[in-house]
Amino acid sequence: MLLALLLFAAVMGVILFIAGRFGGRRGDKYVAYLYLLPVLLVLAVGLVYPGLRTIYFSFFDAAGKAFIGFDNYQTIFTDDGQLTVLRNTVLWVVITPFLATAIGLVYAILVDKSRFESFAKALIFLPMAISMVAASVIWKFVYEYRPDQANVKQIGLINQIIVWLGGKPIQLLIESPLNTFLLIAVMIWIQCGFAMTVLSAAIKAIPDDIIEAARLDGVNAWSMFRKITLPSVRPTVVVVLTTIGIGTLKVFDIVRTMTGGNFNSSVIANEFYLQTFNADNQGLGAALAVLLFILVIPIVVYNIRQVRQSEAR
């Protein structure tokens, strides 16, 4: 780290020295290029080169030596295990963004301008303040299972409630596809705070005269939401949806911490880790990483377009 800091200081010193020698309006363009050079170099070494190398290895076998063409991609879309991974990923992407955004939006509307607004918002934002691994550990205890025996007490909240209601405890995290939905619930719990915070700011930006005019016209709460609030915050809703969607596509920590991808609960991000480091299948792992990259690109592009459109307004 010390060497890295010294190198950074040396590079910046050289850049500042050269920039000072150019000076003047004529040199402004060259100075700008000079400051961009380290950024482009870091991007090339840390992003472009690894990305191209991953694409290259996705066309090779498990050992990364024999060229096999698109066989790894064919495996992803034909192998039963990989199809389960794709199914789980689709469930994550379809359910998580919409539920998290909907809950965040409803919560933001309900607590808006209430007496305990700050405290209420802090409660739902708290999960955003902890890491996904910590949240996963918390929820793993919530789902915890103990054998149904006389001297054994349940420490998992859900199984304890089941026992109180007269039922028998269930090993929740090994039942597929139930375990996938239980993992999704953790992600929704974390992302609701983000959705609520952003959407609450958008709601407060709605002009008061519009709201007052609607109330004078006798608009009820549902019509106010459908005709005033939702159209006004629609660009923000789209941005929140796409942002949570990107995070959901890349989800790794929750699955890795709670199930390790076992019991048919794995998703693409976790699967390419398992294939690369556990199964030592570099080719398939690289192909899964490339597939994840391809799936994220359209959402990122759409998100950027929506942000630019909202800024233009």
Side-chain angles (χ1 to χ4, degrees):
M1 183 176 290
L2 180 60
L3 290 174
L5 291 173
L6 292 174
L7 180 61
F8 174 77
V11 171
M12 290 304 301
V14 171
I15 291 174
L16 292 172
F17 174 76
I18 298 175
R21 294 297 298 271
F22 277 100
R25 293 186 177 181
R26 293 183 179 180
D28 286 347
K29 182 172 67 173
Y30 300 103
V31 171
Y33 290 150
L34 186 64
Y35 279 111
L36 285 174
L37 182 61
V39 178
L40 295 175
L41 181 62
V42 171
L43 286 175
V45 174
L47 183 63
V48 177
Y49 173 71
L52 294 176
R53 189 170 176 81
T54 301
I55 295 173
Y56 174 77
F57 274 111
S58 69
F59 297 106
F60 284 77
D61 63 355
K65 296 180 179 180
F67 181 81
I68 58 175
F70 288 92
D71 286 2
N72 288 318
Y73 295 96
Q74 183 179 354
T75 300
I76 293 174
F77 293 101
T78 56
D79 181 75
D80 290 339
Q82 298 305 317
L83 287 175
T84 301
V85 170
L86 294 179
R87 180 207 67 184
N88 293 340
T89 304
V90 170
L91 289 174
W92 275 82
V93 175
V94 170
I95 296 174
T96 306
F98 290 97
L99 272 183
T101 303
I103 295 172
L105 178 59
V106 172
Y107 195 86
I109 294 173
L110 291 177
V111 303
D112 185 46
K113 298 179 181 179
S114 65
R115 186 177 178 183
F116 303 102
E117 180 179 357
S118 299
F119 178 72
K121 287 182 177 179
L123 287 179
I124 197 171
F125 187 77
L126 278 176
M128 287 289 297
I130 61 177
S131 68
M132 287 195 180
V133 173
S136 302
V137 172
I138 292 170
W139 279 86
K140 193 170 184 180
F141 280 110
V142 173
Y143 299 144
E144 189 61 53
Y145 164 83
R146 288 289 183 270
D148 186 21
Q149 297 176 3
N151 297 325
V152 177
K153 295 183 178 180
Q154 299 298 320
I155 63 172
L157 176 62
I158 293 180
N159 273 315
Q160 183 60 63
I161 293 174
I162 293 174
V163 171
W164 282 339
L165 294 175
K168 293 184 178 180
I170 305 170
Q171 298 189 49
L172 298 166
L173 293 179
I174 69 170
E175 299 291 335
S176 178
L178 174 64
N179 50 13
T180 296
F181 292 106
L182 295 177
L183 299 184
I184 290 173
V186 180
M187 188 67 168
I188 293 173
W189 181 69
I190 295 171
Q191 293 296 333
C192 278
F194 165 74
M196 179 272 300
T197 303
V198 178
L199 293 171
S200 178
I203 291 171
K204 290 186 179 298
I206 300 174
D208 292 335
D209 54 350
I210 296 177
I211 298 175
E212 291 299 329
R215 288 174 178 171
L216 290 174
D217 289 339
V219 176
N220 58 34
W222 170 246
S223 297
M224 177 74 76
F225 170 76
R226 187 169 57 88
K227 297 180 179 180
I228 304 296
T229 305
L230 189 57
S232 299
V233 301
R234 181 186 172 278
T236 307
V237 170
V238 173
V239 171
V240 171
L241 275 172
T242 52
T243 303
I244 297 178
I246 293 170
T248 303
L249 266 175
K250 300 185 297 180
V251 66
F252 168 78
D253 314 62
I254 295 174
V255 178
R256 184 67 183 168
T257 303
M258 298 188 71
T259 64
N262 298 315
F263 315 113
N264 294 326
S265 65
S266 189
V267 291
I268 293 178
N270 184 72
E271 188 65 19
F272 85 72
Y273 174 87
L274 293 176
Q275 292 295 333
T276 303
F277 298 103
N278 288 18
D280 199 24
N281 191 337
Q282 297 181 28
L284 184 57
L288 287 163
V290 173
L291 176 62
L292 182 61
F293 178 70
I294 293 172
L295 293 175
V296 168
I297 287 177
I299 303 178
V300 172
V301 172
Y302 182 73
N303 197 3
I304 293 173
R305 290 182 60 185
Q306 289 297 315
V307 170
R308 288 179 177 176
Q309 289 178 5
S310 61
E311 290 177 350
R313 295 174 185 174

